[in-house]
Amino acid sequence: MTSSGVRVRFAPSPTGYLHIGGARTALFNWLFARRMGGEFVLRIEDTDGERSRPELIDVIFQALEWLGLDWDGTPVHQSERGHLYSAAVDTLLAQGDAYWCACSSEDVKARAEARGGTPGYDSHCRHLGLGPGEGHVVRFAVPDDGVTAFDDLIRGHVSFDNANLEDFVVQRSNGSPMFHLANAVDDADQGITHVIRGEDLINVTPKVLLLRAALGAPGELIFAHLPLIVNEKRQKLSKRRDDVSVGDYIERGYLPEAMVNYLATLGWGPSDGVEIRPLAEIVAMFDIADVGKSGAFFDVKKLQHFNGEYIRALSLPQFVSRSTRWLFDDAPWDPERFDIATFEVLAPLVQERVKLLAEVPDFVDFVFAAEPVIDEESWQKVMVKTPDLAAAVLDHALAGFAECDWTAAGLDAALFSYAETHGVAKGKVQAPVRVAVTGRTVGPPLFESLEVLGRDETIRRLAAARSRV
RNA sequence: GCCCCCAUCGUCCAGCGGCCUAGGACGCCUGCCUUUCACGCAGGUAACACGGGUUCGAAUCCCGUUGGGGGUGCCA
Protein backbone atom coordinates (compact mmCIF):
# COMPACT_ATOMS: atom_id res chain seq x y z
CA MET A 1 0.00 0.00 0.00
CA THR A 2 1.36 3.40 -0.92
CA SER A 3 1.03 6.66 0.91
CA SER A 4 -1.88 7.74 -1.26
CA GLY A 5 -3.51 4.36 -0.85
CA VAL A 6 -4.48 4.43 -4.50
CA ARG A 7 -4.32 1.17 -6.38
CA VAL A 8 -5.72 0.65 -9.86
CA ARG A 9 -5.57 -2.27 -12.22
CA PHE A 10 -5.61 -2.96 -15.90
CA ALA A 11 -7.39 -6.26 -16.49
CA PRO A 12 -7.06 -7.49 -20.06
CA SER A 13 -8.60 -10.70 -21.25
CA PRO A 14 -6.18 -12.72 -23.40
CA THR A 15 -8.69 -13.39 -26.15
CA GLY A 16 -6.82 -11.20 -28.62
CA TYR A 17 -3.90 -8.83 -29.02
CA LEU A 18 -3.75 -5.59 -27.11
CA HIS A 19 -5.75 -3.08 -29.11
CA ILE A 20 -5.93 0.68 -29.15
CA GLY A 21 -8.87 0.82 -26.77
CA GLY A 22 -7.15 -1.41 -24.25
CA ALA A 23 -3.96 0.57 -24.56
CA ARG A 24 -5.84 3.79 -23.83
CA THR A 25 -7.54 2.23 -20.80
CA ALA A 26 -4.17 0.98 -19.54
CA LEU A 27 -2.64 4.40 -20.12
CA PHE A 28 -5.32 6.29 -18.18
CA ASN A 29 -5.05 3.85 -15.30
CA TRP A 30 -1.29 4.28 -15.36
CA LEU A 31 -1.52 8.08 -15.54
CA PHE A 32 -3.92 8.14 -12.62
CA ALA A 33 -1.74 5.84 -10.53
CA ARG A 34 1.46 7.73 -11.28
CA ARG A 35 -0.19 11.09 -10.70
CA MET A 36 -1.64 9.99 -7.38
CA GLY A 37 1.50 8.24 -6.27
CA GLY A 38 -0.41 4.98 -6.22
CA GLU A 39 0.04 1.54 -7.71
CA PHE A 40 -0.82 0.19 -11.12
CA VAL A 41 -1.26 -3.57 -11.19
CA LEU A 42 -2.12 -6.09 -13.87
CA ARG A 43 -4.70 -8.82 -13.77
CA ILE A 44 -5.24 -11.36 -16.49
CA GLU A 45 -8.93 -12.14 -16.76
CA ASP A 46 -8.80 -15.62 -18.22
CA THR A 47 -11.77 -17.24 -16.56
CA ASP A 48 -13.19 -18.38 -19.88
CA GLY A 49 -11.08 -21.41 -20.75
CA GLU A 50 -12.73 -21.68 -24.14
CA ARG A 51 -11.64 -18.30 -25.42
CA SER A 52 -8.46 -17.59 -23.55
CA ARG A 53 -5.24 -18.01 -25.45
CA PRO A 54 -2.39 -18.14 -22.94
CA GLU A 55 0.20 -17.46 -25.63
CA LEU A 56 -1.27 -13.97 -26.01
CA ILE A 57 -0.51 -12.97 -22.45
CA ASP A 58 3.13 -12.29 -23.20
CA VAL A 59 2.19 -10.43 -26.33
CA ILE A 60 0.01 -8.13 -24.23
CA PHE A 61 2.80 -7.63 -21.70
CA GLN A 62 5.21 -6.78 -24.50
CA ALA A 63 2.83 -4.23 -25.95
CA LEU A 64 2.49 -2.57 -22.54
CA GLU A 65 6.25 -2.55 -22.17
CA TRP A 66 6.61 -1.03 -25.60
CA LEU A 67 4.22 1.72 -24.56
CA GLY A 68 6.31 2.27 -21.46
CA LEU A 69 3.50 1.53 -19.05
CA ASP A 70 5.35 -0.18 -16.25
CA TRP A 71 3.28 -2.05 -13.72
CA ASP A 72 3.75 -2.76 -10.04
CA GLY A 73 4.11 -6.22 -8.60
CA THR A 74 3.44 -9.51 -10.30
CA PRO A 75 0.41 -9.86 -12.58
CA VAL A 76 -2.41 -11.94 -11.19
CA HIS A 77 -4.00 -14.66 -13.31
CA GLN A 78 -7.62 -15.41 -12.55
CA SER A 79 -7.26 -18.90 -13.94
CA GLU A 80 -5.06 -19.68 -10.92
CA ARG A 81 -7.46 -18.35 -8.34
CA GLY A 82 -10.43 -20.65 -8.80
CA HIS A 83 -10.64 -21.49 -5.12
CA LEU A 84 -11.36 -17.88 -4.21
CA TYR A 85 -14.24 -17.70 -6.63
CA SER A 86 -15.83 -20.98 -5.61
CA ALA A 87 -15.59 -19.93 -1.99
CA ALA A 88 -17.41 -16.73 -2.88
CA VAL A 89 -20.08 -18.67 -4.74
CA ASP A 90 -20.52 -20.93 -1.68
CA THR A 91 -20.97 -17.88 0.51
CA LEU A 92 -23.55 -16.44 -1.83
CA LEU A 93 -25.39 -19.75 -1.95
CA ALA A 94 -25.29 -20.14 1.83
CA GLN A 95 -26.61 -16.63 2.35
CA GLY A 96 -29.43 -17.16 -0.09
CA ASP A 97 -28.05 -14.45 -2.38
CA ALA A 98 -27.57 -16.97 -5.16
CA TYR A 99 -29.26 -20.15 -6.32
CA TRP A 100 -28.79 -23.08 -8.65
CA CYS A 101 -30.49 -22.83 -12.00
CA ALA A 102 -31.15 -25.68 -14.42
CA CYS A 103 -32.26 -23.59 -17.39
CA SER A 104 -30.24 -23.86 -20.57
CA SER A 105 -29.60 -20.79 -22.71
CA GLU A 106 -32.18 -22.18 -25.12
CA ASP A 107 -34.79 -22.46 -22.35
CA VAL A 108 -34.18 -18.87 -21.29
CA LYS A 109 -34.40 -17.64 -24.84
CA ALA A 110 -37.53 -19.63 -25.66
CA ARG A 111 -39.38 -18.33 -22.62
CA ALA A 112 -38.29 -14.78 -23.41
CA GLU A 113 -39.78 -15.10 -26.87
CA ALA A 114 -42.97 -16.59 -25.54
CA ARG A 115 -43.14 -13.66 -23.14
CA GLY A 116 -43.08 -11.22 -26.01
CA GLY A 117 -39.48 -10.97 -27.01
CA THR A 118 -38.11 -9.12 -24.01
CA PRO A 119 -34.65 -10.64 -23.59
CA GLY A 120 -33.42 -11.75 -20.21
CA TYR A 121 -33.79 -14.40 -17.57
CA ASP A 122 -37.10 -14.63 -15.72
CA SER A 123 -35.91 -15.92 -12.34
CA HIS A 124 -37.52 -19.25 -13.20
CA CYS A 125 -35.43 -21.36 -10.81
CA ARG A 126 -35.12 -18.80 -8.02
CA HIS A 127 -37.46 -20.57 -5.61
CA LEU A 128 -37.13 -24.12 -6.86
CA GLY A 129 -34.50 -25.06 -4.30
CA LEU A 130 -32.36 -26.85 -6.88
CA GLY A 131 -28.91 -28.19 -6.09
CA PRO A 132 -25.82 -28.75 -8.20
CA GLY A 133 -26.20 -30.96 -11.22
CA GLU A 134 -25.32 -31.50 -14.84
CA GLY A 135 -25.78 -28.27 -16.75
CA HIS A 136 -26.64 -26.24 -13.65
CA VAL A 137 -25.35 -22.73 -13.23
CA VAL A 138 -25.42 -20.48 -10.20
CA ARG A 139 -27.32 -17.24 -10.52
CA PHE A 140 -27.29 -14.19 -8.31
CA ALA A 141 -30.68 -13.27 -6.89
CA VAL A 142 -31.01 -9.59 -7.72
CA PRO A 143 -33.32 -7.70 -5.34
CA ASP A 144 -36.72 -7.11 -6.95
CA ASP A 145 -36.79 -3.46 -6.08
CA GLY A 146 -34.57 -0.64 -4.97
CA VAL A 147 -31.80 1.01 -6.94
CA THR A 148 -28.11 0.37 -7.30
CA ALA A 149 -26.21 3.56 -7.94
CA PHE A 150 -22.71 4.97 -7.82
CA ASP A 151 -20.91 8.25 -8.32
CA ASP A 152 -18.69 8.03 -11.34
CA LEU A 153 -15.63 10.28 -11.35
CA ILE A 154 -16.26 11.12 -14.98
CA ARG A 155 -20.00 10.77 -15.41
CA GLY A 156 -21.38 11.80 -12.06
CA HIS A 157 -24.29 9.98 -10.48
CA VAL A 158 -25.36 6.85 -12.38
CA SER A 159 -28.31 4.84 -11.18
CA PHE A 160 -29.99 1.58 -12.13
CA ASP A 161 -33.32 0.20 -10.97
CA ASN A 162 -32.75 -3.30 -9.65
CA ALA A 163 -36.01 -4.31 -11.32
CA ASN A 164 -34.25 -3.91 -14.65
CA LEU A 165 -31.43 -6.24 -13.69
CA GLU A 166 -31.92 -9.93 -14.35
CA ASP A 167 -30.60 -12.72 -12.16
CA PHE A 168 -27.21 -13.04 -13.81
CA VAL A 169 -24.98 -16.09 -13.87
CA VAL A 170 -22.04 -16.05 -11.47
CA GLN A 171 -20.80 -19.59 -12.06
CA ARG A 172 -20.94 -21.52 -15.32
CA SER A 173 -22.18 -25.08 -15.55
CA ASN A 174 -18.56 -26.20 -15.86
CA GLY A 175 -17.83 -24.67 -12.48
CA SER A 176 -15.81 -21.71 -13.70
CA PRO A 177 -16.70 -18.22 -12.48
CA MET A 178 -18.18 -15.49 -14.62
CA PHE A 179 -16.18 -12.34 -14.91
CA HIS A 180 -18.44 -10.19 -12.72
CA LEU A 181 -17.86 -12.55 -9.84
CA ALA A 182 -14.12 -12.89 -10.35
CA ASN A 183 -13.96 -9.14 -10.80
CA ALA A 184 -15.75 -8.38 -7.54
CA VAL A 185 -13.71 -10.93 -5.62
CA ASP A 186 -10.36 -9.82 -7.01
CA ASP A 187 -10.92 -6.10 -6.72
CA ALA A 188 -11.67 -6.64 -3.04
CA ASP A 189 -8.88 -9.17 -2.54
CA GLN A 190 -6.27 -7.03 -4.26
CA GLY A 191 -7.29 -3.87 -2.46
CA ILE A 192 -8.22 -2.03 -5.63
CA THR A 193 -9.45 1.47 -4.84
CA HIS A 194 -10.42 2.82 -8.26
CA VAL A 195 -11.77 1.13 -11.34
CA ILE A 196 -10.99 3.01 -14.53
CA ARG A 197 -12.33 1.28 -17.64
CA GLY A 198 -14.26 1.78 -20.84
CA GLU A 199 -17.82 2.97 -20.87
CA ASP A 200 -18.89 -0.27 -22.50
CA LEU A 201 -18.64 -1.78 -19.04
CA ILE A 202 -20.75 0.79 -17.24
CA ASN A 203 -23.81 -1.44 -17.15
CA VAL A 204 -22.04 -4.30 -15.44
CA THR A 205 -21.15 -1.97 -12.59
CA PRO A 206 -24.42 -2.46 -10.69
CA LYS A 207 -23.90 -6.22 -10.84
CA VAL A 208 -20.42 -5.91 -9.39
CA LEU A 209 -21.73 -3.55 -6.73
CA LEU A 210 -24.49 -5.99 -5.76
CA LEU A 211 -21.94 -8.78 -5.56
CA ARG A 212 -19.58 -6.72 -3.43
CA ALA A 213 -22.35 -5.85 -1.03
CA ALA A 214 -23.44 -9.48 -0.73
CA LEU A 215 -19.87 -10.62 -0.19
CA GLY A 216 -19.22 -7.94 2.37
CA ALA A 217 -16.36 -6.38 0.44
CA PRO A 218 -14.66 -3.77 2.59
CA GLY A 219 -14.41 -0.13 1.58
CA GLU A 220 -15.88 1.64 -1.36
CA LEU A 221 -14.75 1.12 -4.91
CA ILE A 222 -14.65 4.30 -6.96
CA PHE A 223 -15.47 4.10 -10.65
CA ALA A 224 -14.47 6.19 -13.64
CA HIS A 225 -15.85 5.15 -17.02
CA LEU A 226 -13.83 6.43 -19.93
CA PRO A 227 -15.46 7.52 -23.18
CA LEU A 228 -15.11 4.94 -25.91
CA ILE A 229 -12.65 5.33 -28.76
CA VAL A 230 -14.64 5.12 -31.97
CA ASN A 231 -14.12 4.62 -35.69
CA GLU A 232 -15.15 6.98 -38.50
CA LYS A 233 -18.69 5.70 -38.16
CA ARG A 234 -18.64 6.60 -34.48
CA GLN A 235 -18.85 3.00 -33.39
CA LYS A 236 -16.78 1.40 -30.69
CA LEU A 237 -13.49 0.16 -32.14
CA SER A 238 -13.73 -3.48 -33.07
CA LYS A 239 -10.91 -5.94 -33.59
CA ARG A 240 -12.73 -7.43 -36.53
CA ARG A 241 -13.57 -4.41 -38.64
CA ASP A 242 -11.06 -1.81 -37.46
CA ASP A 243 -7.33 -1.58 -37.68
CA VAL A 244 -6.58 -1.52 -33.98
CA SER A 245 -3.86 -3.93 -32.96
CA VAL A 246 -1.08 -2.12 -31.15
CA GLY A 247 1.29 -4.63 -32.71
CA ASP A 248 0.38 -3.42 -36.18
CA TYR A 249 1.28 0.14 -35.22
CA ILE A 250 4.62 -1.06 -33.93
CA GLU A 251 5.23 -2.74 -37.29
CA ARG A 252 4.45 0.41 -39.21
CA GLY A 253 7.05 2.37 -37.35
CA TYR A 254 5.11 4.40 -34.86
CA LEU A 255 7.15 5.52 -31.88
CA PRO A 256 5.75 4.51 -28.49
CA GLU A 257 6.20 8.07 -27.20
CA ALA A 258 4.03 9.35 -30.02
CA MET A 259 1.40 6.69 -29.52
CA VAL A 260 1.14 7.26 -25.79
CA ASN A 261 1.09 11.02 -26.21
CA TYR A 262 -1.63 10.81 -28.85
CA LEU A 263 -3.71 8.37 -26.82
CA ALA A 264 -3.56 10.78 -23.89
CA THR A 265 -5.33 13.42 -25.99
CA LEU A 266 -8.30 11.16 -26.60
CA GLY A 267 -10.80 12.10 -23.94
CA TRP A 268 -8.44 14.43 -22.16
CA GLY A 269 -6.46 17.54 -23.00
CA PRO A 270 -3.91 19.64 -21.14
CA SER A 271 -5.38 22.94 -20.01
CA ASP A 272 -2.69 24.99 -21.73
CA GLY A 273 -3.49 23.44 -25.09
CA VAL A 274 0.01 22.10 -25.72
CA GLU A 275 -0.70 18.60 -26.97
CA ILE A 276 2.73 17.27 -27.81
CA ARG A 277 4.77 17.06 -24.64
CA PRO A 278 6.77 14.63 -22.48
CA LEU A 279 4.86 11.94 -20.60
CA ALA A 280 6.17 13.25 -17.29
CA GLU A 281 4.39 16.53 -17.92
CA ILE A 282 1.21 14.73 -18.80
CA VAL A 283 1.42 12.79 -15.56
CA ALA A 284 1.83 16.05 -13.66
CA MET A 285 -1.18 17.66 -15.35
CA PHE A 286 -3.49 14.66 -15.50
CA ASP A 287 -6.74 14.72 -13.55
CA ILE A 288 -9.24 11.93 -14.07
CA ALA A 289 -12.08 14.36 -13.33
CA ASP A 290 -11.12 16.35 -16.43
CA VAL A 291 -11.72 13.42 -18.76
CA GLY A 292 -14.50 14.08 -21.27
CA LYS A 293 -17.69 12.09 -21.62
CA SER A 294 -18.20 11.65 -25.33
CA GLY A 295 -16.63 9.14 -27.68
CA ALA A 296 -13.36 10.09 -29.35
CA PHE A 297 -12.49 9.28 -32.94
CA PHE A 298 -9.15 7.55 -33.42
CA ASP A 299 -7.63 9.86 -36.03
CA VAL A 300 -4.65 8.14 -37.65
CA LYS A 301 -3.75 11.33 -39.53
CA LYS A 302 -3.24 13.17 -36.30
CA LEU A 303 -1.34 10.24 -34.82
CA GLN A 304 0.95 10.39 -37.85
CA HIS A 305 1.55 14.06 -37.29
CA PHE A 306 2.53 13.34 -33.69
CA ASN A 307 4.80 10.57 -34.91
CA GLY A 308 6.51 12.84 -37.42
CA GLU A 309 7.16 15.37 -34.68
CA TYR A 310 8.66 12.72 -32.42
CA ILE A 311 10.80 11.31 -35.22
CA ARG A 312 12.22 14.73 -36.03
CA ALA A 313 12.95 15.30 -32.34
CA LEU A 314 15.17 12.20 -32.23
CA SER A 315 18.94 12.64 -32.19
CA LEU A 316 20.60 11.28 -35.31
CA PRO A 317 22.00 8.17 -33.58
CA GLN A 318 18.59 7.48 -32.10
CA PHE A 319 16.94 7.87 -35.46
CA VAL A 320 19.42 5.48 -37.03
CA SER A 321 19.10 2.83 -34.35
CA ARG A 322 15.33 3.05 -34.26
CA SER A 323 15.22 2.66 -38.03
CA THR A 324 17.41 -0.41 -38.30
CA ARG A 325 14.53 -2.85 -37.96
CA TRP A 326 13.07 -1.65 -41.22
CA LEU A 327 16.45 -1.61 -42.91
CA PHE A 328 17.02 -5.31 -42.49
CA ASP A 329 13.73 -7.15 -42.18
CA ASP A 330 11.83 -7.15 -45.47
CA ALA A 331 13.89 -4.31 -46.89
CA PRO A 332 13.47 -4.04 -50.67
CA TRP A 333 17.09 -4.86 -51.45
CA ASP A 334 19.64 -7.61 -51.12
CA PRO A 335 20.81 -7.46 -47.45
CA GLU A 336 24.38 -7.92 -48.69
CA ARG A 337 24.30 -4.57 -50.39
CA PHE A 338 23.19 -2.66 -47.30
CA ASP A 339 25.77 -0.49 -45.59
CA ILE A 340 25.02 1.28 -42.34
CA ALA A 341 27.67 3.96 -42.85
CA THR A 342 26.12 4.92 -46.16
CA PHE A 343 22.71 5.04 -44.52
CA GLU A 344 24.02 7.33 -41.82
CA VAL A 345 25.04 9.87 -44.45
CA LEU A 346 21.52 9.98 -45.85
CA ALA A 347 19.76 9.62 -42.51
CA PRO A 348 19.46 13.33 -41.62
CA LEU A 349 17.79 13.98 -44.96
CA VAL A 350 15.38 11.12 -44.40
CA GLN A 351 14.59 11.91 -40.80
CA GLU A 352 12.86 15.16 -41.56
CA ARG A 353 10.76 13.62 -44.30
CA VAL A 354 9.17 10.51 -42.83
CA LYS A 355 6.13 10.23 -40.62
CA LEU A 356 6.56 6.49 -40.08
CA LEU A 357 9.77 4.55 -39.65
CA ALA A 358 8.44 1.99 -42.09
CA GLU A 359 8.75 4.68 -44.79
CA VAL A 360 12.50 4.95 -44.32
CA PRO A 361 13.47 2.24 -46.86
CA ASP A 362 11.57 4.06 -49.60
CA PHE A 363 13.88 7.03 -49.25
CA VAL A 364 17.12 5.11 -49.52
CA ASP A 365 16.30 2.09 -51.64
CA PHE A 366 17.87 3.72 -54.71
CA VAL A 367 21.31 3.40 -53.09
CA PHE A 368 21.02 -0.16 -51.88
CA ALA A 369 19.09 -1.76 -54.70
CA ALA A 370 21.04 -2.86 -57.76
CA GLU A 371 18.60 -1.09 -60.05
CA PRO A 372 16.27 1.81 -59.33
CA VAL A 373 12.64 0.74 -59.14
CA ILE A 374 11.03 2.94 -61.78
CA ASP A 375 7.69 4.35 -60.71
CA GLU A 376 5.60 4.31 -63.87
CA GLU A 377 3.63 7.42 -63.02
CA SER A 378 6.82 9.36 -62.39
CA TRP A 379 8.33 8.17 -65.66
CA GLN A 380 5.25 9.19 -67.60
CA LYS A 381 5.19 12.59 -66.03
CA VAL A 382 8.76 13.67 -66.72
CA MET A 383 10.09 11.42 -69.48
CA VAL A 384 7.08 10.79 -71.68
CA LYS A 385 5.21 14.08 -71.43
CA THR A 386 8.27 16.22 -72.18
CA PRO A 387 10.69 13.91 -73.98
CA ASP A 388 12.73 16.67 -75.60
CA LEU A 389 13.51 18.37 -72.32
CA ALA A 390 14.21 15.03 -70.65
CA ALA A 391 16.63 13.98 -73.37
CA ALA A 392 18.42 17.34 -73.40
CA VAL A 393 18.78 17.41 -69.62
CA LEU A 394 19.99 13.84 -69.50
CA ASP A 395 22.58 14.54 -72.17
CA HIS A 396 23.66 17.65 -70.34
CA ALA A 397 23.99 15.76 -67.07
CA LEU A 398 25.85 12.88 -68.69
CA ALA A 399 28.42 15.30 -70.07
CA GLY A 400 28.70 17.49 -67.00
CA PHE A 401 28.76 14.73 -64.40
CA ALA A 402 31.61 12.98 -66.16
CA GLU A 403 33.92 15.84 -65.30
CA CYS A 404 32.59 17.81 -62.32
CA ASP A 405 33.62 17.63 -58.68
CA TRP A 406 31.64 14.77 -57.14
CA THR A 407 30.20 16.91 -54.39
CA ALA A 408 26.72 18.28 -53.93
CA ALA A 409 27.99 21.72 -54.88
CA GLY A 410 29.82 20.44 -57.93
CA LEU A 411 26.81 18.45 -59.12
CA ASP A 412 24.53 21.40 -58.50
CA ALA A 413 26.69 23.65 -60.69
CA ALA A 414 27.06 21.02 -63.40
CA LEU A 415 23.36 20.33 -63.72
CA PHE A 416 21.87 23.77 -63.18
CA SER A 417 24.08 25.44 -65.70
CA TYR A 418 21.46 24.04 -68.06
CA ALA A 419 18.69 25.85 -66.19
CA GLU A 420 20.54 29.14 -66.52
CA THR A 421 21.51 28.93 -70.16
CA HIS A 422 18.13 27.65 -71.31
CA GLY A 423 15.95 29.60 -68.92
CA VAL A 424 14.26 26.50 -67.56
CA ALA A 425 13.15 26.24 -63.94
CA LYS A 426 15.44 24.21 -61.71
CA GLY A 427 12.54 22.04 -60.65
CA LYS A 428 12.04 20.98 -64.28
CA VAL A 429 15.72 20.33 -64.78
CA GLN A 430 16.27 18.12 -61.77
CA ALA A 431 13.23 15.97 -62.44
CA PRO A 432 14.59 13.79 -65.26
CA VAL A 433 17.80 13.15 -63.36
CA ARG A 434 15.91 12.24 -60.22
CA VAL A 435 13.61 9.82 -62.03
CA ALA A 436 16.48 8.27 -63.98
CA VAL A 437 18.52 7.65 -60.86
CA THR A 438 15.98 7.01 -58.08
CA GLY A 439 12.94 5.99 -60.09
CA ARG A 440 10.66 8.57 -58.50
CA THR A 441 9.87 12.28 -58.64
CA VAL A 442 10.12 12.61 -54.87
CA GLY A 443 12.93 11.76 -52.51
CA PRO A 444 15.79 13.22 -50.51
CA PRO A 445 17.68 16.23 -51.93
CA LEU A 446 19.08 15.15 -55.29
CA PHE A 447 22.74 16.18 -55.18
CA GLU A 448 23.41 14.72 -51.77
CA SER A 449 21.80 11.52 -53.02
CA LEU A 450 24.03 11.40 -56.09
CA GLU A 451 27.08 12.14 -54.00
CA VAL A 452 26.39 8.99 -52.01
CA LEU A 453 25.50 6.89 -55.05
CA GLY A 454 28.80 7.62 -56.77
CA ARG A 455 29.83 8.82 -60.20
CA ASP A 456 29.96 5.49 -62.04
CA GLU A 457 26.58 4.24 -60.91
CA THR A 458 24.94 7.61 -61.46
CA ILE A 459 26.23 7.81 -65.01
CA ARG A 460 25.25 4.22 -65.70
CA ARG A 461 21.66 4.91 -64.62
CA LEU A 462 21.53 8.18 -66.50
CA ALA A 463 22.67 6.46 -69.69
CA ALA A 464 20.21 3.61 -69.24
CA ALA A 465 17.36 6.08 -68.87
CA ARG A 466 18.57 8.18 -71.79
CA SER A 467 18.38 5.18 -74.09
CA ARG A 468 14.77 4.66 -73.15
CA VAL A 469 13.57 8.20 -73.73
C1' G B 1 -38.28 -3.49 -27.15
C1' C B 2 -35.91 -2.36 -22.39
C1' C B 3 -31.69 -0.17 -19.61
C1' C B 4 -27.49 3.22 -19.45
C1' C B 5 -24.54 7.09 -21.48
C1' C B 6 -23.41 11.18 -24.72
C1' A B 7 -24.15 16.02 -27.72
C1' U B 8 -18.63 22.99 -29.17
C1' C B 9 -15.24 23.58 -36.12
C1' G B 10 -14.78 17.45 -40.70
C1' U B 11 -11.68 15.42 -36.27
C1' C B 12 -9.34 15.79 -31.07
C1' C B 13 -9.30 19.10 -27.13
C1' A B 14 -10.11 24.36 -24.36
C1' G B 15 -14.34 26.78 -22.33
C1' C B 16 -16.81 24.91 -15.81
C1' G B 17 -22.71 31.98 -15.82
C1' G B 18 -20.20 37.76 -17.85
C1' C B 19 -12.94 37.92 -20.16
C1' C B 20 -16.68 34.21 -26.37
C1' U B 21 -17.59 39.08 -32.37
C1' A B 22 -15.97 30.88 -28.96
C1' G B 23 -9.41 29.57 -28.36
C1' G B 24 -5.58 25.68 -29.71
C1' A B 25 -4.22 21.21 -32.49
C1' C B 26 -4.91 17.67 -36.82
C1' G B 27 -6.96 17.90 -41.66
C1' C B 28 -8.05 20.92 -45.81
C1' C B 29 -7.06 25.59 -48.84
C1' U B 30 -3.70 29.99 -50.12
C1' G B 31 0.99 32.28 -50.08
C1' C B 32 6.31 32.47 -48.71
C1' C B 33 10.82 29.50 -48.48
C1' U B 34 12.71 25.90 -52.14
C1' U B 35 16.29 21.33 -57.05
C1' U B 36 11.39 17.28 -55.83
C1' C B 37 9.16 15.98 -51.40
C1' A B 38 9.11 17.21 -46.45
C1' C B 39 10.21 20.81 -42.68
C1' G B 40 9.56 25.84 -41.35
C1' C B 41 6.87 30.52 -41.66
C1' A B 42 2.37 33.75 -42.73
C1' G B 43 -2.74 33.60 -43.65
C1' G B 44 -7.58 31.26 -44.50
C1' U B 45 -11.76 27.62 -43.95
C1' A B 46 -14.97 25.76 -40.24
C1' A B 47 -18.74 24.59 -34.54
C1' C B 48 -21.88 25.92 -29.37
C1' A B 49 -28.00 19.93 -32.55
C1' C B 50 -33.14 21.96 -31.75
C1' G B 51 -37.06 23.95 -28.47
C1' G B 52 -38.43 25.70 -23.89
C1' G B 53 -37.11 27.57 -19.20
C1' U B 54 -33.79 29.81 -14.87
C1' U B 55 -30.91 34.49 -14.79
C1' C B 56 -29.63 41.40 -15.39
C1' G B 57 -26.65 37.91 -18.43
C1' A B 58 -26.10 30.78 -20.94
C1' A B 59 -21.79 27.31 -25.18
C1' U B 60 -21.78 26.97 -19.85
C1' C B 61 -27.52 25.46 -15.10
C1' C B 62 -32.68 22.78 -15.58
C1' C B 63 -36.49 20.25 -18.65
C1' G B 64 -38.00 18.27 -23.24
C1' U B 65 -37.15 16.88 -28.40
C1' U B 66 -34.02 15.02 -31.96
C1' G B 67 -29.69 12.58 -33.13
C1' G B 68 -25.65 9.22 -31.89
C1' G B 69 -23.39 5.42 -29.04
C1' G B 70 -23.06 1.39 -25.48
C1' G B 71 -25.40 -2.78 -23.12
C1' U B 72 -29.09 -6.37 -23.20
C1' G B 73 -24.23 -13.94 -23.36
C1' C B 74 -23.03 -20.12 -19.28
C1' C B 75 -17.65 -13.14 -23.57
C1' A B 76 -14.88 -9.57 -21.07
Side-chain angles (χ1 to χ4, degrees), chain A residues 223-241:
Chain A
F223 291 86
H225 287 92
L226 304 171
L228 259 23
I229 296 185
V230 302
N231 62 21
E232 59 289 338
K233 290 158 80 177
R234 306 237 113 230
Q235 297 166 320
K236 164 177 140 177
L237 250 29
S238 141
K239 289 180 189 177
R240 308 181 66 178
R241 70 177 168 239

Side-chain angles (χ1 to χ4, degrees), chain A residues 9 43 45 78 92 140 142 148-150 160 162 165-166 168-170 178-188 192 195 197 201-223 225:
Chain A
R9 41 69 167 186
R43 182 165 76 220
E45 305 220 325
Q78 291 189 328
L92 258 19
F140 183 79
V142 176
T148 299
F150 58 97
F160 295 78
N162 291 337
L165 266 27
E166 61 176 335
F168 55 93
V169 173
V170 294
M178 286 292 287
F179 107 105
H180 321 91
L181 196 264
N183 221 266
V185 169
D186 285 336
D187 283 342
I192 300 300
V195 172
R197 44 150 50 154
L201 291 169
I202 198 165
N203 44 236
V204 320
T205 305
K207 297 180 183 178
V208 173
L209 252 17
L210 251 16
L211 247 14
R212 283 178 63 90
L215 292 169
E220 190 193 357
L221 196 50
I222 299 170
F223 291 86
H225 287 92

Side-chain angles (χ1 to χ4, degrees), chain A residues 14-17 51-57:
Chain A
T15 52
Y17 299 104
R51 292 159 196 268
S52 284
R53 292 169 58 196
E55 71 277 14
L56 291 178
I57 296 175

Side-chain angles (χ1 to χ4, degrees), chain A residues 107-123 166:
Chain A
D107 295 336
V108 173
K109 210 169 155 191
R111 284 204 302 272
E113 272 167 30
R115 225 167 37 233
T118 310
Y121 181 64
D122 56 4
S123 306
E166 61 176 335

Side-chain angles (χ1 to χ4, degrees), chain A residues 310-369:
Chain A
Y310 273 94
I311 285 177
R312 273 174 261 125
L314 255 25
S315 68
L316 189 57
Q318 282 176 326
F319 174 69
V320 171
S321 76
R322 298 251 206 158
S323 299
T324 52
R325 262 209 53 187
W326 289 270
L327 263 15
F328 290 100
D329 301 342
D330 310 317
W333 52 69
D334 178 354
E336 300 287 304
R337 299 177 56 90
F338 181 73
D339 174 55
I340 191 75
T342 302
F343 174 67
E344 281 170 348
V345 177
L346 257 12
L349 306 175
V350 177
Q351 182 175 6
E352 62 186 63
R353 289 176 169 72
V354 296
K355 282 198 164 72
L356 305 177
L357 256 20
E359 293 170 351
V360 171
D362 288 345
F363 281 83
V364 296
D365 60 355
F366 73 94
V367 199
F368 302 117

Side-chain angles (χ1 to χ4, degrees), chain A residues 113-174:
Chain A
E113 272 167 30
R115 225 167 37 233
T118 310
Y121 181 64
D122 56 4
S123 306
H124 181 267
C125 300
R126 187 134 137 188
H127 301 294
L128 263 35
L130 265 29
E134 179 72 25
H136 292 195
V137 300
V138 176
R139 286 181 184 273
F140 183 79
V142 176
D144 294 326
D145 42 36
V147 300
T148 299
F150 58 97
D151 291 300
D152 192 287
L153 254 24
I154 295 172
R155 271 150 232 286
H157 193 73
V158 182
S159 157
F160 295 78
D161 281 338
N162 291 337
N164 290 321
L165 266 27
E166 61 176 335
D167 284 357
F168 55 93
V169 173
V170 294
Q171 184 179 80
R172 299 187 182 87
S173 57
N174 68 5

Side-chain angles (χ1 to χ4, degrees), chain A residues 9-15 18 22 41-46 60-61 64 78:
Chain A
R9 41 69 167 186
F10 174 55
S13 179
T15 52
L18 183 68
V41 304
L42 256 34
R43 182 165 76 220
I44 302 302
E45 305 220 325
D46 50 358
I60 291 172
F61 287 164
L64 289 171
Q78 291 189 328

